Amino acid sequence: MTGTEEEFRKVESYINALEDKFLPPQTLGFLNLAMAGDWQFLFTSNQLGRPSPLLRLTELVQTVGVQGLKGKLVNSATWALIEESAFGTFSSDLSYDINQGARITLDEELDLRVELTKGSDVPSDPESLVGLIHRAMPTEMFDASELALDTTYVDTDLRIVRFTGKRHEGVRNIFMRKGAFEINPDL
C-alpha cells in the first residue's frame, strides 16, 4: 500500500471490524466453496517490498484450487519490463492441507515459473527479472512455503487471510473475487 500511515491504520481497523463479526464456515464443503476460485490481490499489511521503477506489475491474482482437505494455491503476477519489450507472467505454486478448522498449511515444495507472453522479447537478464519481481510482490505471495494461513473473513466477493509461521507472523492480505467489482481509480 502506498497510502499514508493514517490510511494504513484505517484499513487495519476495517479488517479488525470484519474479522470480529465473522462467523467461519462450519463445514469443509462450505469453506472450500467460499475459497475456491481466482482472487485479485488488494492489500497487505506487510510493508517490506521495495518495487523498482524498471518493472511494472499490472495484476496480482491468487487462485485457490480445492479438493477436500488438500488443494493448490497459485500466486500469479503479470509483469512488464519498462526499458525492454519483455512482458509475461510469474507464478508461485504450492500445495496445501487444511488441518485445523480453516487453517491452511502450505507445503515446502515451491514451484516458481516465469513465462513470456506471445510477442515478448526475451529479457536481457532473466535472473535480474526474478529479483525485480521478488522485490515488487509481497514476499508472502512470492514464497509462501512453510507458512500457514487462516481465513479470517470470507464472503462471496471479499477474502482476508492472516499468515502464521516464522516469517510473516500476523501479516494480513485482502483479496476480492476477480471480476466481482470494477475499480476505477479516476473516481
Side-chain angles (χ1 to χ4, degrees):
M1 181 173 173
T2 57
T4 65
E5 182 71 19
E6 181 181 332
E7 291 168 328
F8 184 82
R9 297 293 162 230
K10 192 176 236 183
V11 169
E12 279 189 328
S13 72
Y14 293 148
I15 291 171
N16 291 335
L18 284 171
E19 290 175 340
D20 285 344
K21 305 262 186 237
F22 180 58
L23 296 172
Q26 299 299 305
T27 67
L28 178 62
F30 279 119
L31 175 65
N32 282 341
L33 181 65
M35 289 190 324
D38 293 334
W39 295 89
Q40 182 78 39
F41 173 77
L42 294 178
F43 172 85
T44 182
S45 61
N46 177 358
Q47 299 297 298
L48 299 176
R50 294 188 188 105
S52 167
L54 300 175
L55 178 85
R56 178 178 300 129
L57 286 184
T58 56
E59 185 174 52
L60 193 50
V61 173
Q62 184 174 82
T63 301
V64 181
V66 299
Q67 189 173 22
L69 290 170
K70 299 190 176 295
K72 187 172 185 177
L73 206 64
V74 179
N75 296 316
S76 303
T78 304
W79 57 268
L81 285 172
I82 302 302
E83 296 179 354
E84 299 182 34
S85 292
F87 40 91
T89 59
F90 167 85
S91 65
S92 167
D93 300 16
L94 283 163
S95 294
Y96 70 79
D97 295 307
I98 297 176
N99 57 10
Q100 297 175 14
R103 174 160 291 175
I104 292 175
T105 303
L106 300 165
D107 289 347
E108 296 176 16
E109 292 289 320
L110 177 66
D111 181 23
L112 302 176
R113 284 192 318 270
V114 174
E115 296 178 357
L116 300 177
T117 305
K118 187 175 181 177
S120 172
D121 292 343
V122 174
S124 59
D125 186 354
E127 286 183 22
S128 175
L129 169 64
V130 173
L132 291 171
I133 293 169
H134 182 260
R135 286 181 23 209
M137 280 179 77
T139 54
E140 69 275 9
M141 289 187 72
F142 184 89
D143 179 4
S145 60
E146 299 182 352
L147 293 174
L149 57 96
D150 296 322
T151 300
T152 58
Y153 180 85
V154 64
D155 66 22
T156 56
D157 299 321
L158 190 68
R159 186 170 135 250
I160 302 173
V161 298
R162 181 182 59 234
F163 286 87
T164 63
K166 296 175 190 169
R167 305 171 294 135
H168 311 300
E169 179 68 38
V171 168
R172 286 187 176 87
N173 284 358
I174 301 174
F175 300 89
M176 71 174 193
R177 191 166 300 276
K178 189 171 179 182
F181 302 103
E182 173 123 3
I183 297 177
N184 185 350
D186 296 330
L187 293 178

